[in-house]
Amino acid sequence: MTKLDLIFLSRFLVNILSLAVLCYGCYFRFSKNAVVAGSFILFGVGVFIITFLLHGVDMSMEFAFGLFAVFTMLRYRTESISIKEMTYLFLVTAIALLTSVGQMSLIELSILNGIICLIAFLIDSSVFVKRYEVQSVCYERIENITPQNQATLINDLKQRTGLNVVAVDIEHIDFLRDVAQLKVSYLAEKQTKVA
């Protein structure tokens, strides 16, 4: 029978600290979505507790993974979730599962969880690639959306928005109102971010 002893408490502490670093040190730092970051931690705590307590019960691994698939689909199926958030949800689940049933020592678990968090931090930062943001813009100078005026369009958007625009995609053209809906990709810089 599984007991709530010192092993549980120490693994629970490693799990909570790892999830806090992943969700608030990596995800929240770049996404600024506190609701999702908090939900990730709660989800990780739930997965940890269920897995730790059911670890002593005789069940197949397929059943355990099926159980978590059902939990995930029940809540996250109705609301669209981005690929980035889906990836963080997977990492939260992985950390919780590893910490609850992993056969490693606490130090090895801490190091492994730290490596996962470090990789997530590096991928989300601008260490490897430049960070681009996307903004939807309603643009009225419709003569600039032609391919031969691409440079003029980008320069006009740079001047009017103050953003370091690098690419523009046309989403929709309304010839009746002489406007176009543009998807503007720009290089994210600290001075261009709005709090």
Side-chain angles (χ1 to χ4, degrees):
M1 182 175 168
T2 305
K3 295 180 181 177
L4 300 181
D5 53 6
L6 187 60
I7 294 172
F8 171 81
L9 292 176
S10 57
R11 285 180 174 262
F12 185 74
L13 183 63
V14 168
N15 183 58
I16 283 285
L17 291 175
S18 301
L19 293 176
V21 169
L22 179 70
C23 296
Y24 287 105
C26 301
Y27 175 80
F28 179 75
R29 179 180 169 147
F30 300 108
S31 297
K32 304 295 185 213
N33 193 337
V35 173
V36 174
S39 298
F40 283 160
I41 289 183
L42 292 175
F43 187 82
V45 167
V47 169
F48 173 85
I49 290 173
I50 291 171
T51 309
F52 189 87
L53 293 178
L54 293 180
H55 181 58
V57 177
D58 186 23
M59 70 170 68
S60 67
M61 199 58 150
E62 294 85 11
F63 176 77
F65 277 113
L67 181 66
F68 290 118
V70 168
F71 287 150
T72 304
M73 289 179 66
L74 284 176
R75 173 62 186 98
Y76 295 103
R77 172 173 183 234
T78 57
E79 192 174 314
S80 65
I81 183 170
S82 71
I83 295 208
K84 180 177 182 175
E85 289 169 347
M86 185 92 60
T87 304
Y88 272 96
L89 181 63
F90 177 77
L91 290 177
V92 163
T93 306
I95 286 175
L97 287 172
L98 284 172
T99 308
S100 63
V101 296
Q103 299 301 314
M104 297 173 274
S105 69
L106 289 177
I107 293 175
E108 291 171 329
L109 279 172
S110 300
I111 291 171
L112 182 61
N113 290 350
I115 290 170
I116 292 171
C117 294
L118 178 65
I119 291 171
F121 179 83
L122 291 175
I123 295 298
D124 262 347
S125 70
S126 58
V127 171
F128 295 115
V129 293
K130 294 180 179 178
R131 291 182 50 81
Y132 293 97
E133 305 260 338
V134 177
Q135 180 72 40
S136 185
V137 173
C138 186
Y139 189 73
E140 84 286 352
R141 295 182 183 169
I142 203 158
E143 67 277 359
N144 288 344
I145 67 169
T146 59
Q148 60 268 23
N149 288 339
Q150 182 80 14
T152 305
L153 173 63
I154 290 175
N155 287 333
D156 185 42
L157 287 168
K158 281 182 181 180
Q159 182 181 13
R160 294 170 75 183
T161 64
L163 300 173
N164 188 5
V165 178
V166 292
V168 178
D169 293 321
I170 300 169
E171 293 181 325
H172 176 73
I173 301 172
D174 186 347
F175 287 111
L176 291 175
R177 296 184 322 156
D178 273 346
V179 294
Q181 194 69 31
L182 306 178
K183 186 169 70 174
V184 178
S185 300
Y186 60 95
L187 191 59
E189 299 171 3
K190 287 186 179 177
Q191 62 266 25
T192 61
K193 283 190 175 180
V194 179

